[in-house]
Amino acid sequence: MRGWDGRPRNYAGAWYEPAKPAEVADAVKCALDWNRANPNTARAGTVLIYAWNEYDEGGWLCPT
């Protein structure tokens, strides 16, 4: 997970630190490397990258 901070959100200021581009690139590289190293497990040969934008209190995903 990139830019995630699991602390309770009951304090002032930003509650997360955005991921640096190099961190995102490294995560994608690791996923692709694992995919290539495990062709029997990753038969589709794909990597899924998504944003999990969940509202804190309602638990709704955006977009709904």
Side-chain angles (χ1 to χ4, degrees), residues 9-30:
R9 297 181 181 114
N10 61 355
Y11 56 90
W15 50 267
Y16 69 96
E17 183 176 325
K20 295 178 175 88
E23 292 175 313
V24 175
D26 184 54
V28 172
K29 181 185 179 310
C30 287

Side-chain angles (χ1 to χ4, degrees), residues 33-50:
D33 289 346
W34 184 91
N35 214 352
R36 285 188 210 99
N38 296 281
N40 292 330
T41 302
R43 289 179 281 177
T46 59
V47 172
L48 177 63
I49 301 169
Y50 65 95

Side-chain angles (χ1 to χ4, degrees), residues 46-59:
T46 59
V47 172
L48 177 63
I49 301 169
Y50 65 95
W52 182 271
N53 299 324
E54 183 178 352
Y55 292 108
D56 289 346
E57 296 181 10

